Amino acid sequence: MTRNRRPWVAVVAALGAALALTSPASGAGQQATDPLATWAKGTAVTVAPGVTHTTWTEGPSALRAKARKLQIVEIDPTAGSLTLESTVGTRDGSAEHVTEQLAKVTPVAARHPYAGVNGGLFQREPAGAGVEKTAAHTSVSATDGVLHSSSCWSGGKGSTGAVIQYGIPYITKLLTDMQLIGPSGETVRIDDVNRTPGRPPHCARDSEDMEVSKTPPVFTDSDEIVVFTDDYGLPTPKPGTDPLVAATADTGFEVVVDAHGVVTQVREGRGGTAVPAGGRVIQGIGTRAQWLRDRLALDDRVTIDQKLHDVTLNRDIPLDKSVDVVSSFHQLLRHSKIPAELPDSCSGKETSADGTTLICTDSRTALGTNAQGHPVLVTLTGADNEDGDYLRSFAALLDSPLLGIVDAINLDGGGSTALVTKKPTEAQSKTHTPPTDPLDGGLVHREVADSVYTGIGGYGMYVKP
């Protein structure tokens, strides 16, 4: 199987979904319970050739005082020269608004992305060393073949993610394996990328990580090596970044490596260091700091080996410039079915308008493919407020035969949910989802770690201008 072909399981699923949509018997049976039956479909708006934006508006409901909006951007690569990619914006170490990240994809105005949504889950890291607004991905993430975080461990089963390659998202379980290879060939595990050593966010990265907080989920490991890439964009974190996690107070050891893999600096302590262009900064704490002390010296040559394993198909995914990865924890649809393991979770709940039912107000974002094999970007929000649904109810909406979505992954939601479009004829982009985060007496859109977008490109064309 070549890298640029969609896995056969997904192709078969898409064909099956297409047949189901054209079957009068199955269509009639599903229509009676279709969760979208009471929603009104708006006129599809052409953003650019091959990119359409459609809004579904909820009908009258006794549960909600305001109607919700389900917005779908469909990307048809047969109708235009289009690509699908992710971006971390100016720097991977901090969060930005989706509009800012999309604006920085390219300085060429004519090649600005046509549409985009917020990407994977992330956590704010406590500000350390004078660095504000730091952000760390909560599971595996990559842009242009460069890993920006490792996968969740999950007992060796990995975590859910969308591999975006040649304009198509493929949803699977992913497991990262990163090794630092010293000048004599000795190896040591790299625990993660672009976050504070000793403080894995949201999920354990290996069997040694121990949970220290549930809100937000934070783990700790006193013996770690973390590598910082040159697009981290911030000074590396100093000790004591999180006073609630003891391991982060370790003064550790730091190694600077240039673009050729040559060690240019070794020093006791860590933090406040800029990553050289094309190079890396390696931080170690505990026994991993001692490994660095004992084995690396000026002018040594080191290698950073990174592997991305597709657990579902038991294959390695070559990390070249064609590969982006967006993290998640939940697949919403798998081959046109709601996975049995999908939890019915929700972070924000309130009493319904009639005062009798508890409803979920988490806005939602999703990435998927439909029965035509076209990528889709999806958001579910209130018309002018944060509102959404429980995960399984959101999945049921996407499972409507009126949409024909085959596979879908849940991205970051709540206040992170954002949908942005920009027509080639327009000077400014437009955000179609409401701001929900309070700031200085008003509401603003949340800054996020990464975004998924479609823009000018084409099959096999993956080098960005």
Side-chain angles (χ1 to χ4, degrees):
M1 183 183 298
T2 56
R3 286 186 289 110
N4 60 346
R5 293 187 183 274
R6 192 179 182 195
W8 279 109
V9 290
V11 175
V12 173
L15 178 60
L19 292 173
L21 289 171
T22 57
S23 168
S26 64
Q30 292 175 340
Q31 185 67 28
T33 58
D34 187 347
L36 271 182
T38 59
W39 293 56
K41 181 181 180 181
T43 302
V45 176
T46 299
V47 179
V51 181
T52 56
H53 172 211
T54 305
T55 300
W56 294 73
T57 304
E58 186 177 25
S61 169
L63 298 181
R64 287 176 162 84
K66 298 181 179 180
R68 294 174 295 173
K69 290 187 178 296
L70 180 71
Q71 302 186 70
I72 299 177
V73 171
E74 181 177 357
I75 303 153
D76 181 0
T78 67
S81 180
L82 300 170
T83 188
L84 183 75
E85 301 184 56
S86 70
T87 177
V88 295
T90 305
R91 49 186 172 261
D92 187 57
S94 61
E96 295 177 306
H97 295 117
V98 172
T99 52
E100 295 173 318
Q101 292 186 339
L102 299 188
K104 289 160 185 167
V105 165
T106 171
V108 182
R111 296 179 66 86
H112 193 281
Y114 298 135
V117 294
N118 61 289
L121 283 73
F122 69 99
Q123 267 192 31
R124 292 284 195 184
E125 290 197 298
V131 176
E132 303 293 336
K133 295 184 177 181
T134 54
H137 303 276
T138 59
S139 183
V140 59
S141 170
T143 53
D144 297 338
V146 177
L147 286 173
H148 293 306
S149 60
S150 61
S151 65
C152 296
W153 172 240
S154 303
K157 298 178 181 178
S159 49
T160 302
V163 179
I164 304 172
Q165 189 176 29
Y166 304 129
I168 296 294
Y170 165 57
I171 303 168
T172 186
K173 289 284 188 180
L174 297 167
L175 194 62
T176 51
D177 180 16
M178 295 179 285
Q179 301 287 329
L180 178 64
I181 305 173
S184 301
E186 59 271 55
T187 65
V188 67
R189 169 183 162 79
I190 296 172
D191 292 84
D192 216 335
V193 183
N194 293 353
R195 55 91 170 159
T196 298
R199 190 187 185 279
H202 207 99
C203 64
R205 274 22 181 209
D206 58 34
S207 59
E208 298 174 356
D209 293 352
M210 303 296 293
E211 189 175 44
V212 293
S213 170
K214 291 188 178 295
T215 309
V218 174
F219 291 73
T220 188
D221 185 347
S222 58
D223 304 296
E224 283 199 323
I225 286 179
V226 173
V227 171
F228 294 84
T229 60
D230 65 344
D231 52 6
Y232 181 64
L234 299 171
T236 56
K238 289 185 176 181
T241 296
D242 189 346
L244 301 179
V245 180
T248 70
D250 190 318
T251 55
F253 196 77
E254 191 169 73
V255 178
V256 181
V257 179
D258 68 14
H260 305 288
V262 176
V263 175
T264 61
Q265 182 180 347
V266 294
R267 71 181 187 92
E268 290 293 337
R270 59 186 176 86
T273 304
V275 184
R280 300 288 187 269
V281 172
I282 306 165
Q283 286 192 350
I285 60 172
T287 59
R288 297 298 189 265
Q290 194 60 47
W291 193 98
L292 298 176
R293 289 188 191 97
D294 293 342
R295 291 169 176 81
L296 301 185
L298 288 177
D299 298 327
D300 280 346
R301 188 176 295 274
V302 300
T303 301
I304 294 174
D305 180 59
Q306 52 182 22
K307 289 185 173 63
L308 181 64
H309 188 69
D310 179 342
V311 177
T312 305
L313 295 181
N314 191 25
R315 60 169 185 145
D316 285 337
I317 300 172
L319 285 165
D320 59 32
K321 286 184 177 292
S322 70
V323 173
D324 293 343
V325 180
V326 180
S327 68
S328 177
F329 291 106
H330 304 298
Q331 185 164 359
L332 298 166
L333 292 179
R334 182 183 298 126
H335 313 331
S336 301
K337 295 182 179 179
I338 300 174
E341 69 271 17
L342 179 68
D344 204 20
S345 59
C346 175
S347 296
K349 302 174 185 177
E350 63 182 40
T351 304
S352 63
D354 63 6
T356 61
T357 306
L358 197 64
I359 62 172
C360 176
T361 57
D362 284 349
S363 295
R364 299 293 182 184
T365 309
L367 166 68
T369 52
N370 63 19
Q372 288 71 46
H374 299 165
V376 291
L377 309 174
V378 184
T379 61
L380 175 65
T381 66
D384 59 2
N385 62 311
E386 182 174 346
D387 200 359
D389 219 328
Y390 292 91
L391 268 183
R392 294 191 69 88
S393 298
F394 179 45
L397 278 178
L398 301 190
D399 195 33
S400 167
L402 296 172
L403 301 180
I405 297 176
V406 176
D407 294 307
I409 191 173
N410 188 58
L411 300 180
D412 200 8
S416 295
T417 293
L419 170 63
V420 176
T421 65
K422 181 181 181 297
K423 295 182 177 181
T425 57
E426 296 175 339
Q428 300 293 327
S429 61
K430 180 179 180 181
T431 303
H432 299 270
T433 44
T436 57
D437 280 12
L439 180 67
D440 298 332
L443 295 174
V444 298
H445 288 92
R446 182 176 299 171
E447 295 172 322
V448 298
D450 59 353
S451 302
V452 180
Y453 68 90
T454 183
I456 292 177
Y459 187 80
M461 297 176 62
Y462 53 80
V463 178
K464 297 177 184 176

